Amino acid sequence: MKPIFLTLCMLSVGALVSAASYTNNTYQKLADEYTKQAQSAFNAGEYDRAVELSIKAEENAALSRAYIERMMLRQNAETELQRAYSRLAWAKSIDADRNFPMAYTAASESYNTAQNAFQGEDYETAKRYAQQVIASLDGVRQITPLPEYYVVRPWADTKDCYWNISGRPYVYNNPLLWENLYQDAENKRNMPDASNPNLIYPGMRMKIPSLTGEYRSGVYNPAQQYDPYSVNR
């Protein structure tokens, strides 16, 4: 029975072939040394000594496997964190914090959680939250900001009035919201008679107030493509 036990122990130690870059650790070195000593004791007929050394070899081999597994978890978490960081930086570069605030905020919070978990050596949690960063930013894309201003054009050409302008997709996508345009102080100052919402004139620079925190910038350009306004934007 003693030779069989020794052989099984040595096979277990020799099975550590994965994660080669981490195999040269202190535990594995001790396991290899105890294995050599166990073999020498076995060859010398010192079977009890061989079993004792084999047990020590297996204990250190188990510690080596646990160490390698932990280092692999760390490496995987670090890789996912790097991916998350790159994706978050890209999202910031295309103004996702302003155009997709909810998605960007969720991604940022997940990234911070992942970083804290990594620093606390909780690599499974760090990896999971880093992957959530990617998932949160899945629908983020580069878009043209909605216009902040609209220059009124002749009625004969565009039928421009507060009602119709409010209904344009790049304004509020809903004519019923026209009073948000009319009640804006800047727009009232530009009207010939602020008490009459029907009196707007071609060339008037009309402010389009943000309703739900949506980011708006620049003057409406008919040559630009704008995503429709949405309360969930």
Side-chain angles (χ1 to χ4, degrees):
M1 292 296 294
K2 291 176 182 178
I4 293 175
F5 178 87
L6 178 62
T7 301
L8 289 174
C9 179
M10 292 176 68
L11 284 173
S12 176
V13 173
L16 292 174
V17 295
S18 63
S21 61
Y22 298 117
T23 56
N24 190 29
N25 61 72
T26 300
Y27 303 118
Q28 189 58 51
K29 290 177 180 177
L30 284 171
D32 293 342
E33 181 59 32
Y34 282 127
T35 297
K36 291 178 183 178
Q37 293 180 19
Q39 185 64 63
S40 296
F42 178 79
N43 292 338
E46 300 175 5
Y47 299 124
D48 289 338
R49 172 76 172 157
V51 170
E52 180 183 333
L53 291 168
S54 295
I55 291 173
K56 289 184 177 181
E58 176 55 30
E59 287 174 347
N60 280 278
L63 289 172
S64 177
R65 289 193 294 271
Y67 170 80
I68 292 171
E69 181 180 358
R70 186 161 183 76
M71 290 299 98
M72 290 299 295
L73 285 174
R74 186 183 190 279
Q75 180 177 310
N76 290 338
E78 193 169 27
T79 298
E80 292 301 319
L81 269 170
Q82 289 173 347
R83 289 181 62 235
Y85 174 82
S86 297
R87 190 64 176 172
L88 199 58
W90 168 82
K92 177 68 173 178
S93 73
I94 63 167
D95 296 324
D97 55 327
R98 294 185 294 193
N99 292 319
F100 298 90
M102 294 179 64
Y104 185 82
T105 298
S108 297
E109 290 175 351
S110 292
Y111 182 74
N112 289 335
T113 301
Q115 275 193 314
N116 291 334
F118 187 85
Q119 291 170 1
E121 298 185 358
D122 184 353
Y123 302 128
E124 285 284 8
T125 298
K127 177 182 176 180
R128 184 170 70 254
Y129 276 92
Q131 291 173 335
Q132 284 185 19
V133 173
I134 306 298
S136 295
L137 297 174
D138 182 58
V140 169
R141 64 196 187 286
Q142 189 164 12
I143 64 174
T144 301
L146 290 171
E148 184 179 10
Y149 289 93
Y150 176 82
V151 177
V152 177
R153 292 173 288 177
W155 171 265
D157 298 335
T158 60
K159 300 296 186 288
D160 274 354
C161 63
Y162 280 123
W163 176 277
N164 288 337
I165 293 171
S166 179
R168 307 263 168 79
Y170 50 85
V171 180
Y172 296 138
N173 211 20
N174 185 347
L176 295 174
L177 298 175
W178 69 271
E179 287 192 82
N180 292 282
L181 300 172
Y182 170 57
Q183 296 295 344
D184 181 79
E186 183 175 338
N187 291 338
K188 283 200 171 188
R189 285 196 301 270
N190 290 332
M191 295 174 63
D193 181 359
S195 65
N196 187 349
N198 295 314
L199 292 180
I200 61 173
Y201 56 89
M204 173 183 167
R205 182 181 167 96
M206 184 181 294
K207 175 75 177 291
I208 307 172
S210 173
L211 295 188
T212 53
E214 77 277 9
Y215 175 61
R216 292 180 174 272
S217 178
V219 179
Y220 170 70
N221 181 355
Q224 290 277 13
Q225 291 283 355
Y226 299 94
D227 283 4
Y229 168 76
S230 168
V231 294
N232 298 319
R233 188 183 175 96

